[in-house]
Amino acid sequence: MHVTGVVREVARRIYETEVIMKVQERKQEHLDAFVTEHVVFVISQVETGNGQPAKAISSKPEQFDANVVSKKIYDSSQRGVFDISSDDFSIAFPYHICFDKDLFVEHFGHYIRNAYPMAIRQETRVSDILELVHPEVPLSYESILAFKNSLFVFKMRGIGDIVHQKDEEMKPILLKGSMILIGGGNYILYISSVYVTTVRELIERNLHISDMQRHDGTRDLIMLNQSRMSQVELKVLGWSFPFDKTHAFENCKIMLIRFC
């Protein structure tokens, strides 16, 4: 396979070691007339035999566990570990959704709660409020496990553009994020953010900069893109000046203050 050759070459050039790749699992997903094949490899590092320690190609990740059913996201008596309530977690991550193996929602961020006030814990399914856009596989617990290292993009159902006229195309709100297994794999936490890159996309979806937390990199991406677009427009008009990232952010903050 082409992937096997790429991984081996990367191991040689970056880690100066040899690896062996074996197929651990092969799965096919049938979606309409298309068949998507998902292959899981096991990568083993080969001992060099020259007495020199080889560079480690992986590190053992820490096991993350949480009891999402209770009101506490973390519950530990160890010193230095503090509790955070589900309400505080919902404010910090307004677009997150946590659900069980049957896709029943356990809790979600405050933006999702405001958008779907009729959503009920352990009664509403993820598929009732979100539509999976990427990857193009059926929305199920097994599919999420198979593609857990992929980027997941969802479309919020029933929420469109309320700014445009009725005869214009509705602009759906997209969420982009990753899946995290918690509670020993009994629950899945979807940490996401709105999938927008320009001020125009914000307006089309009736969103504001304040809808995103300050730690969300999407805010800086929108301001940076807006600054670049403004400079392109000025260049067309015959104006030209060097691009400075710091000044661009400050100028964009002034331009976007009315969207907050």
Side-chain angles (χ1 to χ4, degrees), residues 70-257:
S70 66
K71 289 292 290 182
K72 298 295 184 180
I73 300 299
Y74 296 101
D75 186 10
S76 175
S77 59
Q78 297 180 2
R79 184 177 180 181
V81 178
F82 58 92
D83 295 333
I84 176 173
S85 67
S86 58
D87 290 336
D88 292 337
F89 193 85
S90 297
I91 295 175
F93 300 95
Y95 300 96
H96 89 273
I97 297 180
C98 184
F99 51 94
D100 60 17
K101 291 183 177 181
D102 296 322
L103 305 185
F104 284 108
V105 173
E106 285 291 337
H107 60 79
F108 35 74
H110 80 273
Y111 184 90
I112 303 296
R113 181 170 59 244
N114 294 335
Y116 301 101
M118 302 302 294
I120 302 176
R121 174 177 173 268
Q122 295 183 345
E123 292 187 14
T124 302
R125 291 179 180 270
V126 176
S127 55
D128 295 334
I129 59 178
L130 300 180
E131 177 184 345
L132 182 60
V133 177
H134 178 82
E136 296 182 356
V137 295
L139 181 58
S140 65
Y141 180 79
E142 291 74 18
S143 298
I144 294 175
L145 287 184
F147 292 86
K148 63 181 180 180
N149 294 327
S150 301
L151 191 68
F152 282 79
V153 178
F154 285 92
K155 179 174 67 174
M156 298 181 65
R157 294 183 182 274
I159 298 181
D161 183 6
I162 65 174
V163 177
H164 287 68
Q165 301 297 327
K166 294 183 178 180
D167 57 345
E168 295 186 10
E169 183 181 358
M170 302 285 282
K171 301 294 183 180
I173 296 178
L174 299 179
L175 302 179
K176 178 181 66 174
S178 59
M179 298 290 183
I180 303 174
L181 296 179
I182 61 176
N186 293 320
Y187 301 93
I188 296 179
L189 179 63
Y190 178 56
I191 297 291
S192 65
S193 179
V194 288
Y195 193 12
V196 292
T197 57
T198 64
V199 173
R200 180 60 183 172
E201 292 178 356
L202 281 177
I203 298 175
E204 291 175 343
R205 290 155 179 81
N206 196 35
L207 293 171
H208 304 79
I209 289 293
S210 58
D211 289 328
M212 292 167 266
Q213 286 292 341
R214 289 178 175 81
H215 62 73
D216 193 340
T218 306
R219 296 167 62 106
D220 291 339
L221 177 62
I222 292 174
M223 290 189 288
L224 183 61
N225 285 341
Q226 182 64 29
S227 178
R228 290 184 181 274
M229 292 171 60
S230 299
Q231 291 207 20
V232 170
E233 294 175 357
L234 291 175
K235 189 174 182 179
V236 172
L237 296 175
W239 295 14
S240 178
F241 50 87
F243 178 79
D244 183 81
K245 183 177 179 180
T246 303
H247 291 166
F249 280 0
E250 294 300 325
N251 293 336
C252 284
K253 288 178 181 178
I254 297 175
M255 289 188 295
L256 296 177
I257 191 171

